[in-house]
Amino acid sequence: MKSLAEKIPEGFTTKELSRIARKKDAFIVAGLAEREGENFYNSAILVGPEGFIGRYRKVHLFNEEKFWFTPGNLEFPVFNIEIARLGIMICFDWIFPEATRILALKGAELICHPANLILPFCQKAMVTRSIENRIICITANRTGIERRGTQKELKFTGASQIVNTEGQILLRLSQEETIGTVNVDPASSRNKHLTDHNDLFIDRRPELYSLLTHQPSSLNGA
Amino acid sequence: MKSLAEKIPEGFTTKELSRIARKKDAFIVAGLAEREGENFYNSAILVGPEGFIGRYRKVHLFNEEKFWFTPGNLEFPVFNIEIARLGIMICFDWIFPEATRILALKGAELICHPANLILPFCQKAMVTRSIENRIICITANRTGIERRGTQKELKFTGASQIVNTEGQILLRLSQEETIGTVNVDPASSRNKHLTDHNDLFIDRRPELYSLLTHQPSSLNGA
């Protein structure tokens, strides 16, 4: 891990992606292993034409990641890049509805979701994430197979996708394809109206949700 | 509304369903309009061989229901009926991940979800609800068409379904079918393990979820 993880933003990958973003006049979200002091994080960076903008550190670690990474400690930042307010999730964060919900409540219009998925559920679930939050969700998933030393072979599910605020899949790649583009309107995510009388955010009943922020005692050490 | 809503458990429907539950040695969850004093609720009752057990009052009202009903004020009760710990949601509650999550955190193994759905999203989303909470979700949806007075015609989507803790659809009816049965094991919902190192409930980070219980000020009166 020490040999692969990089400092952000001083490391090679952040610098190189910043260079490309400047050249292409584009914004890029990409995952990498981050080193900070003695800690390693499963992180994603956001860079743009002006360089490094910010990072997210994966909050919910998957399986053996727990041996290597420290869980994210930066909460769920939302970045205003003028063309959109952008939130980041990483891979397994998808299974926790709290992650997307908090990003959306903070004003994220667009979720950028880099992933190395090996389970088959996420792509369908991200449609639910879009519908329940009325936001645009972009899952960029790894393809191919990883074989490393004596470890179990990992086959990634590909099928990267872009879903609009109404849960329509605007783009879904095959298991092998790696690049796809589609135009979206981030401003569409600002409208939380589902029916004449339902605004999905105003209709929430936070006064009834207190259990969500308390780990039930029955789970402690279970 | 006054002529249709009933008191619970004194009203006709609760008594009649209790009689059937006793006769069939079964538990029944069913929706009805409830009257309590001057208030009306979109409610569901749970009855069993021993009679009336409890009620749930829909927390998240859909569209024009807001003209007629008071939002549910009983939080999200979970009923231990020996063969299962059972939670109830009603129709539009499905779009709020908080509802299912809270029931599951309270120990619900089985969600009984009576619905009069007219939008096409719920059945797929309930698969996500099962996966993210590792619980069994039973959506019993209305079929057919409602024409009442000068109101817009309502076409219900049917397709009632039962999903297991791994998101497998054990049963899905057609748009017209009204009855289906399948055996499930409620105890399977007690195991929240997804991988060797992931327990979906222990892996939650409630200390990072505080925004879920506070309506962002930007939404007040929006």
Side-chain angles (χ1 to χ4, degrees):
Chain A
M1 179 62 79
K2 263 191 184 168
S3 68
L4 293 171
E6 302 176 24
K7 288 190 179 177
I8 295 175
E10 303 90 332
F12 170 80
T13 303
T14 307
K15 280 188 180 166
E16 187 63 12
L17 289 175
S18 297
R19 190 185 62 76
I20 294 169
R22 194 177 306 119
K23 193 172 151 192
K24 301 281 187 188
D25 192 29
F27 294 91
I28 301 172
V29 173
L32 70 157
E34 178 185 5
R35 178 178 182 180
E36 188 198 52
E38 295 303 303
N39 290 329
F40 301 101
Y41 298 96
N42 185 338
S43 294
I45 53 166
L46 167 64
V47 299
E50 314 284 325
F52 175 73
I53 297 169
R55 89 196 75 194
Y56 165 69
R57 291 170 173 167
K58 191 181 187 185
V59 163
H60 306 95
L61 297 176
F62 184 68
N63 213 4
E64 297 178 1
E65 286 181 339
K66 292 186 178 185
F67 302 157
W68 304 100
F69 293 112
T70 300
N73 56 357
L74 300 178
E75 306 197 4
F76 300 96
V78 170
F79 304 98
N80 188 340
I81 58 169
E82 302 299 328
I83 56 168
R85 287 179 290 188
L86 186 154
I88 302 175
M89 307 188 340
I90 298 177
C91 205
F92 189 53
D93 283 323
W94 72 265
I95 208 169
F96 299 86
E98 294 88 348
T100 327
R101 185 63 118 194
I102 288 168
L103 288 171
L105 287 172
K106 282 183 163 182
E109 297 156 351
L110 199 71
I111 304 285
C112 290
H113 178 220
N116 290 2
L117 299 163
I118 56 171
L119 299 173
F121 311 115
C122 169
Q123 284 85 344
K124 285 181 186 170
M126 289 306 290
V127 174
T128 302
R129 298 285 172 258
S130 281
I131 289 170
E132 68 200 11
N133 294 296
R134 296 190 79 74
I135 49 170
I136 298 163
C137 289
I138 305 173
T139 297
N141 190 25
R142 191 168 167 185
T143 61
I145 291 171
E146 176 171 306
R147 296 184 189 88
R148 229 184 250 197
T150 57
Q151 291 208 318
K152 205 175 60 181
E153 188 175 285
L154 298 175
K155 188 168 168 53
F156 302 104
T157 60
S160 293
Q161 69 181 17
I162 299 176
V163 185
N164 74 7
T165 62
E166 300 182 343
Q168 291 173 304
I169 299 167
L170 301 181
L171 178 84
R172 183 179 282 170
L173 303 184
S174 72
Q175 197 172 352
E176 289 80 29
E177 287 174 294
T178 55
I179 297 179
T181 62
V182 69
N183 289 321
V184 295
D185 175 16
S188 63
S189 297
R190 292 181 203 165
N191 177 4
K192 303 303 181 190
H193 272 77
L194 180 71
T195 72
D196 287 350
H197 306 288
N198 287 111
D199 176 296
L200 285 192
F201 278 13
I202 293 175
D203 287 349
R204 295 176 72 245
R205 303 278 308 277
E207 73 279 14
L208 298 181
Y209 298 162
S210 60
L211 198 62
L212 297 176
T213 55
H214 298 89
Q215 195 71 287
S217 56
S218 64
L219 290 178
N220 292 337
Chain B
M1 180 61 80
K2 263 191 183 168
S3 67
L4 293 171
E6 302 177 23
K7 287 189 180 179
I8 296 174
E10 303 91 333
F12 171 80
T13 303
T14 307
K15 281 188 176 164
E16 187 64 12
L17 289 176
S18 297
R19 190 184 63 75
I20 294 169
R22 195 177 306 116
K23 194 171 152 193
K24 300 281 186 188
D25 192 30
F27 294 91
I28 301 172
V29 173
L32 69 157
E34 177 185 4
R35 178 179 182 180
E36 188 197 52
E38 295 303 304
N39 290 330
F40 300 102
Y41 298 96
N42 185 339
S43 293
I45 53 166
L46 168 64
V47 299
E50 314 285 326
F52 174 73
I53 296 169
R55 88 195 76 192
Y56 165 69
R57 290 171 173 166
K58 189 180 188 184
V59 163
H60 307 95
L61 297 175
F62 184 68
N63 214 2
E64 296 177 2
E65 288 181 338
K66 293 186 178 184
F67 301 158
W68 304 100
F69 292 112
T70 300
N73 55 356
L74 301 178
E75 307 198 3
F76 301 95
V78 170
F79 305 98
N80 188 340
I81 57 169
E82 302 299 329
I83 56 168
R85 288 180 289 187
L86 185 154
I88 302 174
M89 305 188 341
I90 298 176
C91 205
F92 189 54
D93 283 323
W94 72 266
I95 208 169
F96 299 86
E98 294 89 349
T100 327
R101 184 63 119 194
I102 288 168
L103 288 171
L105 287 172
K106 282 183 163 183
E109 297 155 352
L110 200 71
I111 304 285
C112 291
H113 177 220
N116 290 3
L117 298 163
I118 55 171
L119 298 175
F121 312 115
C122 170
Q123 285 86 344
K124 286 181 186 168
M126 289 305 289
V127 174
T128 302
R129 299 286 172 255
S130 281
I131 290 171
E132 69 200 11
N133 294 294
R134 294 189 79 75
I135 51 169
I136 298 163
C137 289
I138 304 173
T139 296
N141 189 26
R142 189 168 168 186
T143 62
I145 291 171
E146 177 172 305
R147 296 186 189 86
R148 229 183 248 197
T150 56
Q151 292 208 315
K152 203 175 60 179
E153 189 175 285
L154 296 176
K155 187 167 170 56
F156 302 104
T157 60
S160 293
Q161 69 180 18
I162 299 177
V163 185
N164 73 7
T165 62
E166 300 182 343
Q168 291 174 304
I169 299 168
L170 301 180
L171 179 84
R172 183 178 283 169
L173 303 184
S174 72
Q175 197 172 351
E176 289 79 31
E177 288 174 293
T178 55
I179 296 179
T181 62
V182 70
N183 289 322
V184 295
D185 175 16
S188 64
S189 298
R190 291 179 203 167
N191 178 4
K192 304 301 181 192
H193 273 77
L194 180 71
T195 71
D196 287 350
H197 306 290
N198 286 111
D199 176 296
L200 285 192
F201 278 13
I202 293 175
D203 286 350
R204 294 177 72 246
R205 304 277 308 277
E207 73 278 14
L208 299 181
Y209 298 163
S210 59
L211 198 63
L212 297 176
T213 55
H214 297 90
Q215 195 71 286
S217 56
S218 63
L219 290 177
N220 291 338

